[in-house]
Amino acid sequence: MNEPRTSATGTATGVPAALTADEAYAYTSGLRLDPRTANPDDWRVDWHDGPWPVKVYTGGRRLRLGPDGAPHLAALHRLLYDAFAISRVRADPAGGVHATPSDPRPHRGSSVQLRRPIPSGGSMYPTEAYTVLTGEDLGCHYDPYRHELTPVRGRGTVRAVRTALGMSAHEPLPPALLVITSRFWKNFYKYGDFSARLGAVDAGVAVGRAVRLARAAFGHADVRSAFDDAALHACLGLDETVENVHAVIGLGHPVTGTGKGATPPATPAPVPAVLERSRVIKRSVRFDALQRAARAAGRTPPRPPGSPPTVPADDVTFGLPAPHRPDLLAAPVLARRASRGRLFTGSEVTGERLATVLHHTAEGLRELARDCPDGLGARAAETALYCAVHRVHGVAPGWYRYLAGPHALLPVGAGADPDCARRVQEALFAASFNAELAAFTVHVVTPLDWRGAVGARPYREQQLAVGAAVEGVTLCAAAAAEDLSGHAVLGFDVTAMDRAYGLEGSGSGTQAQVCVGALRSDPNWEIAVIPR
């Protein structure tokens, strides 16, 4: 299944046909139901042949970012540092992978780990960030190591981007655009076909954080998930067999006259080249065909959002306390955000903490739906939050759906259930931490049938919305209290969770889960990286 094998350039020996919508639906449904069967029985991870954790360019020139300089560059400095930069160094003698009863001798990575502000499955960070500086008519790759921009395209960038986005030649643009891509091999080498889902969720996490920061730093953000993929890839010099654009975010309000660009220098800057560490890149025909199907959709009209499960008028809801209103982007909050489920204590938390996480996560999804006029906005609008309450003061343990309008919990499925924490733990495919010790677990739920008129773009948009919800829960958990953390996983028995919530036969299902709990002190130290 993972043939053909290619060189590090990523050039396949044959171009796979795109999956039909029905074929893609069957493939992606399998990734949700049991990711353990996504790869063949003889699948092995080659730890010594993995890619570098960032995309590396050589040659060209560099543009340093910092808080001083032009307003749009200063705002871009903050956004990129707080979303994508390698901003922390963590010491961990276990190499980030801790022994469990099911895996007493796990593979050990480096004892020094480089961390970014957003969560990523397995800390693979398959997303890459590019910027289009519309006033300068310049396209750049963001280097998270050096906190610098590497220009990859000069004069003509804005014209090409306008074409890719289906805009007229004189339509105003914001001061900058942020382009978020997924570079497949960065997590495919570890997860194989499951990275078709995991990579899209990771990109959604990045979109969720970038949109929050863009609103704060630029005053406005708008998101696009539908565009002419081939034109956008050509504009940034991307090989679409190894890296695809997932979202384009406008940073700031449109400004009349953007895109004309400064006079180009007499001698154009050299175009940088991409360096690769991997000698051989494994491929999957089905994975490649799914990406091709997602690209083929292009700028098609978005499917209207699906209908979430109805709430009978006579159902009894549990009103939550008023949520706290923390600064979600405060430096201490961003520094605290980490996936530390192995440090859960099993302590009870207050109802205000639960209320804060659910309210602000739902608000983030609502704002994403408002600011994205195409398919991603529709998918965000239909994404719901469900919650398994383990230990929350004043709330009986059990299974609930969060209702954002009345800010209340609706008992669903099995309802009150003193064993719900144990059932969440038993549903984990890999018991890398004790989910039973969390105070509550948030499940992200969407309509299951994402199929639209063309291609697999709706699936990618669905998973982007799931990732945005995951980002919201983990960030809001860190903001709700200094000792609270959210630990996200995709590898769990969704059938068991659907049954617990009473979702079987409803057309909706669980997509991701985030356990939230109080922490004991972390024995490992972590230091911040200050951009030079």
Side-chain angles (χ1 to χ4, degrees):
M1 184 182 71
N2 291 295
E3 297 295 333
R5 295 173 68 87
T6 73
S7 69
T9 63
T11 302
T13 57
V15 178
L19 296 176
T20 66
D22 290 342
E23 290 170 339
Y25 180 68
Y27 175 46
T28 57
S29 295
L31 298 179
R32 187 187 84 92
L33 290 170
D34 193 353
R36 297 171 299 181
T37 62
N39 300 314
D41 293 338
D42 60 351
W43 170 265
R44 297 291 183 273
V45 181
D46 185 353
W47 297 105
H48 300 290
D49 202 29
W52 282 318
V54 302
K55 188 176 184 180
V56 177
Y57 281 93
T58 182
R61 58 192 178 100
R62 299 272 172 164
L63 303 177
R64 294 181 62 182
L65 291 167
D68 49 0
H72 67 293
L73 293 177
L76 195 60
H77 150 75
R78 179 189 173 188
L79 186 156
L80 292 172
Y81 184 78
D82 286 342
F84 300 98
I86 294 174
S87 57
R88 291 178 286 172
V89 176
R90 177 175 174 80
D92 188 342
V97 182
H98 297 268
T100 67
S102 61
D103 193 5
R105 299 185 63 183
H107 164 78
R108 290 178 180 269
S110 171
S111 60
V112 176
Q113 294 144 23
L114 305 179
R115 297 292 191 182
R116 305 196 197 191
I118 57 176
S120 174
S123 299
M124 296 288 101
Y125 297 105
T127 51
E128 296 285 336
Y130 297 79
T131 63
V132 176
L133 306 179
T134 57
E136 294 86 344
D137 200 8
L138 196 63
C140 305
H141 172 259
Y142 174 63
D143 184 336
Y145 273 144
R146 296 183 173 92
H147 194 54
E148 295 174 337
L149 298 178
T150 304
V152 295
R153 172 156 180 167
R155 190 83 165 167
T157 300
V158 169
R159 183 174 63 252
V161 167
R162 274 201 175 104
T163 299
L165 297 180
M167 302 173 67
S168 68
H170 303 290
E171 192 170 344
L173 287 167
L177 299 169
L178 178 67
V179 181
I180 294 176
T181 74
S182 183
R183 199 156 195 255
F184 306 135
W185 181 234
K186 285 172 66 180
N187 64 348
F188 187 95
Y189 92 94
K190 179 178 180 181
Y191 294 107
D193 276 61
F194 183 58
S195 61
R197 181 174 174 221
L198 184 59
V201 171
D202 266 39
V205 170
V207 169
R209 177 64 57 84
V211 169
R212 290 180 191 276
L213 290 163
R215 294 193 193 106
F218 288 87
H220 178 72
D222 64 80
V223 189
R224 296 171 187 259
S225 60
F227 31 75
D228 184 333
D229 297 63
L232 204 50
H233 295 155
C235 174
L236 297 172
L238 306 182
D239 179 350
E240 67 180 20
T241 66
V242 297
E243 182 176 5
N244 283 186
V245 174
H246 278 32
V248 179
I249 303 174
L251 307 177
H253 292 282
V255 179
T256 302
T258 51
K260 295 179 180 179
T263 301
T267 304
V271 177
V274 179
L275 292 182
E276 300 281 7
R277 174 182 180 268
S278 298
R279 298 177 299 277
V280 175
I281 296 178
K282 287 185 283 189
R283 306 301 294 260
S284 159
V285 171
R286 289 193 301 170
F287 178 98
D288 289 348
L290 176 69
Q291 306 309 324
R292 187 173 175 83
R295 294 193 298 268
R299 295 193 304 268
T300 57
R303 189 190 69 173
S307 300
T310 57
V311 181
D314 57 350
D315 276 3
V316 177
T317 60
F318 177 82
L320 288 169
H324 298 308
R325 299 193 174 277
D327 180 357
L328 296 178
L329 299 178
V333 173
L334 296 178
R336 283 196 300 270
R337 196 235 54 83
S339 300
R340 295 194 172 115
R342 65 185 182 83
L343 299 176
F344 286 157
T345 63
S347 299
E348 183 182 71
V349 303
T350 65
E352 287 82 3
R353 292 184 179 184
L354 170 63
T356 298
V357 170
L358 293 175
H359 169 77
H360 290 291
T361 302
E363 182 70 7
L365 286 169
R366 187 189 69 80
E367 291 176 346
L368 181 60
R370 178 197 67 197
D371 294 337
C372 183
D374 55 25
L376 174 55
R379 303 291 78 74
E382 67 187 18
T383 300
L385 302 178
Y386 284 64
C387 187
V389 173
H390 308 180
R391 301 171 187 84
V392 176
H393 182 72
V395 183
W399 308 90
Y400 300 88
R401 178 184 168 205
Y402 176 62
L403 305 178
H407 184 52
L409 293 177
L410 172 69
V412 293
D417 181 3
D419 290 330
C420 72
R422 176 182 57 81
R423 293 173 69 178
V424 170
Q425 173 67 27
E426 290 175 347
L428 290 177
F429 288 147
S432 56
F433 68 100
N434 193 340
E436 193 171 356
L437 295 179
F440 57 92
T441 298
V442 179
H443 286 94
V444 182
V445 172
T446 72
L448 294 176
D449 194 345
W450 51 262
R451 284 171 289 188
V454 179
R457 182 68 59 95
Y459 174 73
R460 191 165 76 185
E461 291 166 334
Q462 178 196 70
Q463 298 304 304
L464 289 172
V466 170
V470 167
E471 187 274 338
V473 176
T474 57
L475 183 63
C476 295
E482 292 187 6
D483 65 339
L484 215 60
S485 180
H487 194 119
V489 296
L490 298 185
F492 63 98
D493 185 348
V494 295
T495 302
M497 294 298 94
D498 290 351
R499 187 182 307 115
Y501 285 116
L503 291 170
E504 292 178 305
S506 70
S508 294
T510 51
Q511 297 279 356
Q513 102 177 4
V514 187
C515 298
V516 179
L519 305 175
R520 65 178 185 272
S521 297
D522 193 337
N524 299 320
W525 55 263
E526 188 172 277
I527 60 174
V529 175
I530 301 175
R532 55 187 174 85

